[in-house]
Amino acid sequence: MRLHAVPYGGRRRREGSGVFLAEILRSAPKTAAGVVYDMPTGVTEATQTLAAAATVTAGSFFESVPKGADAYVMKLILHDWDDEKSLRILRGIRESIKPDGRLIIFEWVVPDVVGAEHRRALLADMLMLVLTGGRERTEDEYRGLLAQASFTLASVSGPLGELGFTRLEAVPSA
């Protein structure tokens, strides 16, 4: 199995460090391999973290995405970008993904009905808009983005763990 982690770490302190992919590979079969694909400024630490477990490749997912992975994994990527840029990222992955591949996205997903208990989601949404021009999205909004990029949302799990990420798994549409 070959995994591609697409962190785009030029903007965040720990992204691109390889820690996320290292954790995935630690629980994967011994034959699994991975690629961290990140901005040139974000790959230095990943090379040290992953050693021989994975390849580190510099580049921008706005230009291209490495081909040939069984799964593409993104964590907290799409919420950094507006719909237009998110679609560019997703379409690049769609062009590179195998017909039977998987796209696994970890993001905070905003509930359809937001109450006082969802203050964190509302604050995160406002911060993403102000800081990056991005936004937090509902499950239906992710489903729509994925459909526009020729993916089908296959499963949704979450919120997971103490940080409350949701795992969205998509497959290429026919």
Side-chain angles (χ1 to χ4, degrees):
M1 175 170 46
R2 188 160 177 78
L3 299 169
H4 286 182
V6 186
Y8 195 73
R11 297 169 74 162
R12 277 184 265 158
R13 175 175 46 85
R14 292 295 293 168
E15 298 304 328
S17 67
V19 172
F20 186 57
L21 181 58
E23 287 299 317
I24 292 171
L25 291 173
R26 194 176 338 276
S27 63
K30 296 293 182 208
T31 57
V35 174
V36 170
Y37 184 66
D38 202 349
M39 295 296 292
T41 56
V43 297
T44 304
E45 189 177 344
T47 303
Q48 298 165 359
T49 301
L50 291 163
T55 304
V56 178
T57 303
S60 168
F61 52 47
F62 288 119
E63 296 171 15
S64 67
V65 175
K67 295 185 182 303
D70 296 298
Y72 289 80
V73 182
M74 295 190 298
K75 180 182 70 144
L76 295 179
I77 301 297
L78 297 176
H79 79 158
D80 281 350
W81 307 103
D82 61 24
D83 287 353
E84 180 183 327
K85 288 181 180 164
S86 292
L87 281 170
R88 281 181 59 195
I89 296 165
L90 292 169
R91 287 177 176 144
I93 293 171
R94 180 62 178 93
E95 289 176 14
S96 297
I97 198 167
K98 293 179 178 182
D100 62 344
R102 298 275 192 241
L103 171 59
I104 303 167
I105 301 167
F106 292 91
E107 291 280 358
W108 287 301
V109 174
V110 178
D112 290 324
V113 178
V114 180
E117 68 275 18
H118 302 109
R119 284 186 293 251
R120 180 177 177 184
L122 294 173
L123 178 60
D125 189 31
M126 188 181 336
L127 286 173
M128 294 317 300
L129 176 63
V130 171
L131 297 175
T132 69
R135 56 188 289 236
E136 304 300 341
R137 294 175 175 90
T138 65
E139 180 180 326
D140 282 343
E141 289 170 328
Y142 278 112
R143 187 180 313 279
L145 270 179
L146 289 163
Q148 288 180 65
S150 298
F151 282 101
T152 300
L153 186 59
S155 68
V156 178
S157 306
L160 306 169
E162 69 181 60
L163 295 178
F165 296 128
T166 296
R167 179 182 175 274
L168 303 125
E169 184 171 339
V171 296
S173 301

